[in-house]
Amino acid sequence: MSVAPSLEADLAETLPAHIKSVGTSQIGLVADRGRDDPDVVKLWIGEGDLPTPDFVVEAAHKAMLAGETRYTYSRGIPQLHQALSDYHRRHWGVEVTPERFAITAGGMNAIMQACQALLEPGDEIIIPTPNWPNLAEAARVNGAVPVTVPYRRSADGRFSLPIEDIEAAITPRTRMVVVNSPSNPTGWVMPLAEMEALLKLARARDLWILSDEVYSHFTYGNAIAPSFLQITTPRDRLIVTNTFSKNWAMTGWRAGWIIFPDGLTGAFSKLAQYNTTSIPTFIQHACVTALEEGDAFIRTMVGRCADSRAIMVEGLSRLKGVTVFQPEGAFYLMAKIDTAETSLDLAFRLLRDAKVGVAPGTAFGPEGEGFVRICFAVSPGLAREAVARLARVLGEK
């Protein structure tokens, strides 16, 4: 039985102020209009079109048949902690002890647990913008105040984040600086030298760094993105969040991880207990297999994204009123489209007329007005189809 709109509004007024301040996802507003339409090319959400690889699915099935369907350690099974430690050593050359990992219900829950652990009502959290909206909303859910620092944009469309801009935003109430590199939605990648400068600033001001490193493998040069783990000690005020969703096409599995400093194992064990009481045990065994056997699949994903990125950047640059900024990393591009419409109205029009689902730029903050974000983690054929459909609506130069 549904609640009458007037009653729902009355009930909403009884909620705490910090919960009432949480925004509605504009990405969801667009996606909900076309989610069930099989004719729509869906590029609005950060999800590729490949299924989870068979070896991961088979590992989950094998674990279920073996009886791995019961409660387990709230922070995750020891085998997965060890596999994550090995994974970070293999790719970044860093030593992260198994005791510093906690398994979470996806990357979003990792971010939420970090905010629960560190933020008090009224604390400020600095977030570069345009940004993934969930970062700011996780802060609001915990009563904290997001403070946005806009990326700078050069004439060629490249994004940058000068350390002095972050420093200028610091107040006595600042508790944390968030870095998402490679960035959703801009594709910006933070150079290691800039990470070192931010770490120096954070140490001097006693600030925490929350580093969302979900897209680290999705860079389009010869190396993966740098990690703050490469320049920090186990005692630094650093939280790293990540997920199995992107690298191994496991978005629906809801599995992620958080890395915290030495000395906080007990705190994050309790947070895991009271958030999820652990994620399903058989999923954790499948995650071990993804880490141990999945490097080749990651390379396939990244190569596919590189091909589709090239197709979309070249194709969209031929369209009327469209300026495309080639991303350095992640699997999104920001396209600026000259129109009198808001970016939300434009996204609705492209969904209706082109049957292409994109995310409105303002979903990522007011700095995104005039832009749409497009996910190119799809097959090259689907990327070409999306460009062709958009060309029929927007026209070519």
Side-chain angles (χ1 to χ4, degrees), residues 42-301:
K42 300 173 176 67
L43 308 177
W44 41 44
I45 293 174
E47 183 173 51
D49 62 346
L50 286 177
T52 304
D54 288 345
F55 64 88
V56 176
V57 175
E58 290 165 2
H61 187 215
K62 181 179 178 181
M64 292 175 74
L65 293 176
E68 299 291 354
T69 56
R70 303 178 68 83
Y71 290 133
T72 188
Y73 303 96
S74 60
R75 199 168 52 83
I77 61 174
Q79 302 97 305
L80 184 48
H81 299 155
Q82 185 61 57
L84 282 165
S85 180
D86 296 342
Y87 168 82
H88 283 82
R89 183 186 308 109
R90 185 165 71 248
H91 289 289
W92 287 275
V94 297
E95 293 294 333
V96 184
T97 61
E99 293 73 26
R100 292 176 59 198
F101 292 95
I103 309 308
T104 61
M108 183 64 238
N109 182 237
I111 291 166
M112 188 64 75
Q113 288 192 34
C115 290
Q116 291 169 342
L118 302 177
L119 299 178
E120 295 189 47
D123 283 348
E124 293 178 353
I125 173 172
I126 293 175
I127 306 176
T129 185
N131 62 78
W132 182 45
N134 296 37
L135 296 170
E137 302 309 332
R140 288 194 180 95
V141 165
N142 287 279
V145 180
V147 175
T148 56
V149 174
Y151 289 102
R152 296 192 189 187
R153 189 178 297 118
S154 61
D156 65 358
R158 293 173 69 88
F159 291 89
S160 63
L161 183 66
I163 298 301
E164 56 266 29
D165 290 358
I166 295 176
E167 186 169 17
I170 295 173
T171 75
R173 304 191 76 168
T174 304
R175 176 71 166 163
M176 179 192 295
V177 179
V178 176
V179 175
N180 171 216
S181 171
S183 163
N184 170 15
T186 65
W188 166 79
V189 178
M190 192 175 206
L192 193 61
E194 292 182 16
M195 287 184 168
E196 291 170 339
L198 179 56
L199 177 62
K200 181 178 179 181
L201 175 63
R203 285 171 171 169
R205 299 295 189 93
D206 291 330
L207 301 178
W208 284 85
I209 295 173
L210 173 58
S211 182
D212 178 9
E213 301 188 0
V214 167
Y215 301 99
S216 291
H217 285 284
F218 291 87
T219 57
Y220 303 100
N222 295 318
I224 61 176
S227 168
F228 275 98
L229 294 166
Q230 295 171 280
I231 59 172
T232 52
T233 73
R235 298 291 292 175
D236 273 309
R237 296 185 179 192
L238 171 71
I239 298 287
V240 176
T241 58
N242 215 316
T243 181
F244 289 87
S245 293
K246 315 299 181 179
N247 291 346
W248 300 283
M250 295 174 66
T251 52
W253 295 64
R254 310 316 305 134
W257 70 90
I258 189 167
I259 303 173
F260 45 80
D262 277 348
L264 295 185
T265 302
F268 278 94
S269 292
K270 287 185 283 188
L271 282 171
Q273 176 67 40
Y274 300 126
N275 271 274
T276 61
T277 318
S278 86
I279 69 166
T281 312
F282 57 89
I283 287 180
Q284 295 189 54
H285 283 278
C287 289
V288 171
T289 298
L291 291 163
E292 293 179 345
E293 302 178 20
D295 284 359
F297 183 80
I298 295 174
R299 290 192 293 271
T300 297
M301 285 274 287

